[in-house]
């Protein structure tokens, strides 16, 4: 644990699923309500800091979240990213993308291409309980 690390000192979002090794959180992003992170609980910076079995478990959780997103909200694309430049604590970003989202087809961190569609956002927010339940179920099977 690092005293200065945001992901050691907080959940990093609303916890959807938690195991002794990792957690899945919903990121508070008004334009992308189905933006999640899978976060390794211990403070490590890189995938290769993990033992091979831990890497496999971590990636299995990332794929479980991706599958749940695909089944629940049917996105055009899923973006997976492991950056950690600003917060050097191992985590993966998992973002459901839609052709009418404000940044599509560019990364969500780029400039907006259009405004948000309130109707689309409402539908996605309504799907959050089902999505969260599906993620929790899939991640629990990995423990």
């Amino acid at each position: 644990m690092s005293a200065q690390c945001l992901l050691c000192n907080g959940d990093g979002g609303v916890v959807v699923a938690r195991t002794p090794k990792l957690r899945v959180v919903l990121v508070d992003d008004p334009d992308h309500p189905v933006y999640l992170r899978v976060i390794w609980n211990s403070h490590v910076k890189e995938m290769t800091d993990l033992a091979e079995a831990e890497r496999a478990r971590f990636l299995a959780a990332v794929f479980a979240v991706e599958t749940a997103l695909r089944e629940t909200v049917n996105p055009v694309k899923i973006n997976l990213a492991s950056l950690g430049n600003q917060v050097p604590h191992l985590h993966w970003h998992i973002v459901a993308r839609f052709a009418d989202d404000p940044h599509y087809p560019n990364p969500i961190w780029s400039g907006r291409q259009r405004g948000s569609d309130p109707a689309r956002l409402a539908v996605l927010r309504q799907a959050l309980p089902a999505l969260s339940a599906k993620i929790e179920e899939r991640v629990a099977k990995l423990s």
Side-chain angles (χ1 to χ4, degrees):
M1 180 170 184
S2 171
Q4 298 173 6
C5 176
L6 296 173
L7 296 180
C8 285
N9 294 315
D11 287 327
V14 175
V15 176
V16 173
R18 185 186 302 271
T19 73
K21 295 286 186 179
L22 59 86
R23 62 192 180 271
V24 179
V25 302
L26 190 60
V27 176
D28 182 19
D29 186 314
D31 289 329
H32 303 280
V34 287
Y35 171 4
L36 296 116
R37 283 190 199 109
V38 178
I39 303 167
W40 194 254
N41 290 332
S42 300
H43 186 79
V44 297
K45 290 197 279 188
E46 308 298 345
M47 289 292 291
T48 52
D49 291 335
L50 301 178
E52 190 171 332
E54 292 174 322
R55 279 183 286 215
R57 177 179 286 159
F58 194 44
L59 286 176
V62 170
F63 300 148
V65 172
E66 178 182 309
T67 301
L69 279 170
R70 293 181 74 193
E71 292 174 353
T72 308
V73 297
N74 194 30
V76 171
K77 182 74 176 95
I78 301 273
N79 289 170
L80 300 176
S82 178
L83 304 170
N85 296 332
Q86 293 181 8
V87 180
H89 181 122
L90 188 57
H91 63 283
W92 281 75
H93 302 263
I94 304 151
V95 187
R97 301 301 306 277
F98 302 91
D100 60 352
D101 82 39
H103 302 94
Y104 193 85
N106 297 328
I108 66 167
W109 300 287
S110 66
R112 295 171 68 89
Q113 303 295 307
R114 66 195 62 77
S116 294
D117 178 357
R120 160 74 77 189
L121 295 175
V123 168
L124 293 174
R125 288 187 183 106
Q126 288 174 345
L128 289 176
L131 174 63
S132 296
K134 195 170 281 197
I135 290 170
E136 186 174 26
E137 177 185 328
R138 289 181 179 278
V139 170
K141 292 178 182 177
L142 302 174
S143 299

